[in-house]
Amino acid sequence: MFFFTSDRPGGQGSNDIYVARRADKSDDLSWGPATNLGPDVNTADFEAGEFYLQSGEDGSANLYFSRGPDSVALDIYYAPVTTDGETRGPAILVTELSDLSPTITDAHPSLRTDGREIYFYYNRAGSFGASDLWRSTRRSVHEPWATPEHLGAPLSTTANDVQPTLSYSGRTLVFASTRAGELGGSDIWMSTRTPSGKEAP
């Protein structure tokens, strides 16, 4: 399955989340038509930054994403989704990861494959100036997320550090940044961590 965001006509309102499927995983060009995930996930608000957790601890499949009235005032939600990409109920606000202030952006969740670590970006108090990278953990997929932890230097800077994506191995974090030393505008950066969990940019 392939999840993506689109503001194409026929959606629920603003940006919506869609899914496309293919019968043969070895055929890169066999994608079927895109399907809107419907009102369990999509609303008249802005939905984006989707991340599909396929191999959570209990075998469930959950879709994490951001929702808000615009592309700034975003909060983190998840919706239960089957392995066929069908929703199983309405999306739920992840309260422990979201700040409901209209000026705060909580966006682009990316989870470790066991569902017990999540990365995202915030511009809340504690950031260095713009949006920074944050993370949270939990003991199991059945428990709430811990208080978010700011990823300070060298991962976060006074520039805009956004769109974190954790690799399948959980060892590499790829993200976008406007920090000094770039080629222009936002560039893509990566950081790796040792088996002990320490970052090594």
Side-chain angles (χ1 to χ4, degrees):
M1 291 183 297
F2 175 55
F3 293 90
F4 64 95
T5 300
S6 177
D7 63 354
R8 65 184 64 188
Q12 302 292 321
S14 182
N15 268 32
D16 281 353
I17 298 174
Y18 289 77
V19 61
R21 304 173 178 86
R22 58 182 176 180
D24 183 358
K25 294 181 180 180
S26 64
D27 186 348
D28 293 336
L29 302 178
S30 64
W31 292 103
T35 303
N36 189 292
L37 287 185
D40 280 344
V41 168
N42 297 313
T43 67
D45 284 346
F46 182 97
E47 282 89 22
E50 61 286 341
F51 184 92
Y52 177 61
L53 178 64
Q54 188 172 8
S55 55
E57 198 172 79
D58 65 351
S60 65
N62 289 319
L63 183 76
Y64 280 73
F65 64 97
S66 296
R67 174 191 288 166
D70 51 47
S71 60
V72 175
L74 296 173
D75 295 303
I76 296 177
Y77 287 76
Y78 83 90
V81 174
T82 70
T83 54
D84 294 324
E86 301 290 341
T87 59
R88 296 189 298 167
I92 299 167
L93 175 69
V94 185
T95 56
E96 58 269 31
L97 302 181
S98 299
D99 184 320
L100 301 181
S101 168
T103 61
I104 298 297
T105 303
D106 312 309
H108 205 274
S110 180
L111 285 83
R112 198 169 65 200
T113 55
D114 63 5
R116 293 186 288 170
E117 182 180 35
I118 186 170
Y119 287 79
F120 39 89
Y121 72 89
Y122 280 158
N123 62 343
R124 62 172 60 191
S127 295
F128 288 154
S131 291
D132 282 356
L133 305 179
W134 295 67
R135 72 185 281 268
S136 179
T137 58
R138 58 185 177 181
R139 296 175 59 183
S140 80
V141 296
H142 306 289
E143 297 187 24
W145 292 101
T147 300
E149 171 190 1
H150 179 234
L151 296 179
L155 291 182
S156 294
T157 66
T158 56
N160 209 33
D161 304 303
V162 297
Q163 312 293 346
T165 301
L166 189 64
S167 68
Y168 185 84
S169 68
R171 294 281 306 280
T172 302
L173 186 69
V174 178
F175 58 97
S177 178
T178 58
R179 66 185 63 193
E182 298 195 341
L183 299 178
S186 289
D187 284 348
I188 298 174
W189 294 72
M190 63 175 277
S191 176
T192 58
R193 59 182 172 183
T194 65
S196 66
K198 294 182 179 180
E199 287 81 12

